[in-house]
Amino acid sequence: NSQTLYNLPYQTIVVSVGPLLLPNLSGFFARKAGGEASDFFSKSLRSVLFMMVPFVVLFMVAADETVQAVYQWNPAKYTDTNVLATGSLLTVYAINMLLQAVIFFINQTFYARQRSWISLFTGVINLILNPLFCLLYINVFGFGLQSLTLATCSYNLVIIVLSSRMMKRFIPEIKVRGLASFSVRALVAAILSFSVLFFLKALLPASDDKIIQLLQYAVLGLGGLGSYFLAAMALKMPESASVIRMFNQFFNKFRRRKA
């Protein structure tokens, strides 16, 4: 259940970029335009991470509320214990959304540069590390069910480090630009969103009524996302302007079709 929940924003935001990323990078490499490839890769990565961060914060702060809103329609079948168990996994899986997004983007450069064997190699490493980290967290640290999510994040971190080094070795023309500055400002915006969500969560009373639960979750979602975008705009993050421009283009097309 927690994997399904974190896959919703991941599939919507990250995987939808794949059809655009791969052919563009392939075209840049074919023209030996390393600078353009770096700019496109960096901008696309920052934009996707920018849109992923508020969902990471939402799932970390309101994991139980997310599970409750989606799955607990009958408390007798999906109990509060189930909600807490799934929510505890979703809290860690939320971080994995960012890790998985970075891996996806790096793999696209390998495919575009016709170095797909590197993705195959890291996939094999993934298969080896997964059970090893599970055994470590279960038998050594005794983390129980959380071992599954911690193992996923751990081996993805290793894959990111390994893939990054492979990219520098075999695709040196790709230079990731502006990620440090972006990370600092995104972190500030995320902290503000986290604070707003934490305050709203403490303010909203618990309820057994499903309609009220859904309304409260909508308040949490809008409060978290809204505060994040407002903070990003205040910090003058160019990614916020790009997202607003994208939504404006979508609504303009919708209005024209309706007219």
Side-chain angles (χ1 to χ4, degrees):
N1 291 160
S2 60
Q3 282 182 329
T4 300
L5 288 172
Y6 97 78
N7 264 316
L8 288 174
Y10 175 80
Q11 294 289 338
T12 302
I13 297 172
V14 179
V15 178
S16 62
V17 178
L20 298 175
L21 190 65
L22 184 57
N24 279 281
L25 287 176
S26 298
F28 292 135
F29 289 144
R31 293 189 288 108
K32 296 182 179 181
E36 293 180 59
S38 296
D39 289 339
F40 181 78
F41 178 86
S42 302
K43 183 179 178 180
S44 300
L45 178 61
R46 293 197 308 267
S47 297
V48 165
L49 292 179
F50 174 80
M51 289 186 285
M52 293 290 289
V53 168
F55 290 100
V56 173
V57 176
L58 177 63
F59 286 173
M60 289 183 68
V61 179
D64 294 344
E65 288 78 6
T66 302
V67 175
Q68 186 182 60
V70 177
Y71 290 114
Q72 196 185 45
W73 293 86
N74 185 348
K77 293 183 178 180
Y78 205 100
T79 65
D80 291 340
T81 302
N82 299 140
V83 171
L84 293 175
T86 307
S88 66
L89 298 178
L90 182 60
T91 301
V92 183
Y93 267 139
I95 302 173
N96 189 58
M97 288 195 295
L98 297 178
L99 303 179
Q100 200 70 41
V102 174
I103 292 173
F104 176 85
F105 267 74
I106 294 176
N107 283 338
Q108 295 305 301
T109 63
F110 295 149
Y111 298 145
R113 199 67 175 84
Q114 298 182 354
R115 297 287 190 274
S116 56
W117 65 268
I118 301 177
S119 298
L120 178 62
F121 171 73
T122 55
V124 173
I125 298 297
N126 190 342
L127 292 175
I128 297 172
L129 291 178
N130 187 16
L132 291 179
F133 276 119
C134 284
L135 289 173
L136 175 66
Y137 290 128
I138 292 172
N139 296 332
V140 178
F141 294 106
F143 288 152
L145 191 61
Q146 284 285 9
S147 301
L148 299 175
T149 54
L150 291 171
T152 300
C153 291
S154 298
Y155 69 66
N156 276 336
L157 276 173
V158 174
I159 293 301
I160 286 176
V161 173
L162 180 61
S163 297
S164 298
R165 292 189 176 276
M166 299 285 275
M167 188 168 70
K168 289 181 180 179
R169 171 67 178 83
F170 293 100
I171 317 178
E173 57 266 43
I174 289 289
K175 310 292 183 183
V176 183
R177 298 166 178 167
L179 194 57
S181 174
F182 164 82
S183 299
V184 172
R185 288 185 285 182
L187 179 61
V188 173
I191 291 173
L192 177 62
S193 178
F194 184 95
S195 303
V196 170
L197 275 172
F198 192 81
F199 173 76
L200 289 174
K201 184 176 178 179
L203 188 64
L204 295 173
S207 175
D208 294 328
D209 186 275
K210 189 62 182 181
I211 301 300
I212 295 178
Q213 289 176 0
L214 293 174
L215 290 174
Q216 289 180 342
Y217 186 70
V219 171
L220 290 173
L222 292 173
L225 294 173
S227 58
Y228 175 81
F229 276 99
L230 288 174
M233 292 174 64
L235 292 168
K236 297 181 179 179
M237 298 181 69
E239 294 77 17
S240 62
S242 298
V243 172
I244 293 174
R245 185 164 53 251
M246 179 182 67
F247 278 110
N248 286 334
Q249 291 174 352
F250 173 79
F251 285 118
N252 288 334
K253 289 181 180 179
F254 179 77
R255 291 194 195 100
R256 285 195 295 267
R257 288 181 180 179
K258 191 175 180 180

